[in-house]
Amino acid sequence: MRYDFGSDNTAGMAPAALEGLVSANSGFAKAYGSDDVTARAADEIRRRLDADAEIRFVFSGTAANAIALSMLAFPHESVLAHHAAHVCTDETGAPGFFGQGLGLTGLPGFSGKIDARALAAVLEEPEVGHRQPPAALSLTQSTEYGTVYSVEELRHLIEPVKARGFGVHMDGARLANAAAAGFDLTQIARLGVDVLVFGGAKAGGLCTEALVMFDKSLARRVDNRLKQAGQTASKTRFLAAPMLGLLESGAWEGGAAHANLMAQALASGIAMRTPFVLAHPVEANAVFIRMPVKAHEALTAAGWACYRFDDGSVRFVCSWATTQDAVDELLEEMSKLR
């Protein structure tokens, strides 16, 4: 199978990330995140966000999201999120597990973006003792459908929940792609996001995400929480080093910009050379198309990995490693399908 477009998780580590890992392997360093590499990586993240924050590095986005949500809601409360958000569809109940029973309330909205009117309607519902009341909002940037929230769109979602004293979480697994699309990272803290998951794995790193706590009160005993959750690395520098390599070299943004460009090239080719139509706007590194089942089966039989998504469209994801030749080869194969 050709996994070029199966997911941005199928690509290897970007050269800058690998170089960072090799560099960190020299000599000895303090354990459990007290080392210089981890400190430098955290400082690079703070610099990009233009904000002070407590930062920890963990092994996976699922753990980062679930632990973050457990900080924002009690077990008898729920978190509002788009119904297609990763926390709702792909984390096997991890938020409820780490949050000891906290719930998830799915909200509608086109192309992965929460509809502000739907959010307002849920916020206006009376609280009753028979269901979990909302206590936090989870946002995904860029979204599961490859779209990018504008600052104003986020403000319209965040302000009403903050007015009620709710917490706000942002899943930034593909934050680099949102930044490459023009999203201003410095606005995240200013908008009122309490905790951010700063993505590394999909940006070309190892299996590492950074848990960024703008609300420092959330960091109270966070190291105990992470230890209990099995997310404390004795050699934390090896989690942080690939991220440091990406950030210090600029490859975190550069790789995402390349991935976005390849997605645009693929989308243009689909529109011009194939009978298929785009299902969602192409704003980051993912392309979704309407493709009949038989055509999808023929494409996978020809050796191309691509997946049918929640809404029935077929997803193709570009990464730092996607080449123009691969885009052209895929388009040539798709042009033969009906």
Side-chain angles (χ1 to χ4, degrees), residues 26 28 39-40 50 60 90 106 110 122 129 133 135 145 152 154 156 158 164 203 222 271 288-289 294 328:
S26 176
F28 296 84
R40 285 163 55 200
D50 191 28
S60 77
D90 289 277
F110 292 114
V122 170
Y145 285 105
E152 281 305 303
L154 290 173
H156 288 310
I158 292 173
R164 287 166 170 77
V222 67
F288 294 80
I289 67 172
K294 287 186 177 180
D328 292 340

Side-chain angles (χ1 to χ4, degrees), residues 33-272:
S34 299
D35 59 282
D36 179 62
V37 169
T38 300
R40 285 163 55 200
D43 283 341
E44 285 288 334
I45 292 172
R46 293 186 190 100
R47 185 174 65 81
R48 278 165 173 76
L49 300 172
D50 191 28
D52 191 17
E54 283 287 335
I55 297 175
R56 299 293 188 275
F57 295 93
V58 298
F59 296 103
S60 77
T62 293
N65 285 333
I67 291 169
L69 295 184
S70 76
M71 296 174 174
L72 300 177
F74 286 113
H76 58 276
E77 296 173 328
S78 87
V79 175
L80 304 173
H82 192 278
H83 65 76
H86 205 269
V87 295
C88 291
T89 63
D90 289 277
E91 296 187 350
T92 322
F97 177 79
F98 283 94
Q100 301 179 31
L102 73 80
L104 293 165
T105 301
L107 299 176
F110 292 114
S111 300
K113 294 181 178 181
I114 294 173
D115 184 89
R117 292 167 297 180
L119 174 63
V122 170
L123 294 178
E124 291 168 5
E125 290 181 0
E127 289 190 13
V128 297
H130 300 282
R131 57 178 178 263
Q132 291 169 294
L137 173 68
S138 178
L139 298 160
T140 307
Q141 180 75 318
S142 58
T143 73
E144 298 295 337
Y145 285 105
T147 53
V148 178
Y149 283 107
S150 69
V151 171
E152 281 305 303
E153 286 174 326
L154 290 173
R155 181 173 288 114
H156 288 310
L157 297 173
I158 292 173
E159 285 184 351
V161 300
K162 296 297 284 191
R164 287 166 170 77
F166 293 178
V168 178
H169 156 259
M170 180 175 284
D171 178 352
R174 295 187 175 97
L175 187 63
N177 301 99
F183 177 67
D184 184 356
L185 299 179
T186 68
Q187 295 301 311
I188 296 174
R190 294 166 191 162
L191 284 165
V193 173
D194 296 292
V195 57
L196 163 72
V197 176
F198 189 98
K202 291 177 171 62
L206 196 58
C207 300
T208 309
E209 312 293 297
L211 191 63
V212 181
M213 293 157 280
F214 299 110
D215 178 355
K216 289 191 172 184
S217 70
L218 298 175
R220 180 177 179 270
R221 295 177 176 167
V222 67
D223 294 313
N224 306 83
R225 186 187 293 255
L226 294 176
K227 183 70 172 183
Q228 187 182 63
Q231 290 296 313
T232 300
S234 58
K235 298 183 180 181
T236 304
R237 69 186 186 277
F238 294 122
L239 288 182
M243 185 85 84
L244 178 62
L246 291 172
L247 294 171
E248 285 192 335
S249 68
W252 188 80
E253 295 91 347
H258 172 78
N260 289 7
L261 183 64
M262 291 297 97
Q264 290 293 334
L266 179 59
S268 296
I270 288 169
M272 296 175 63

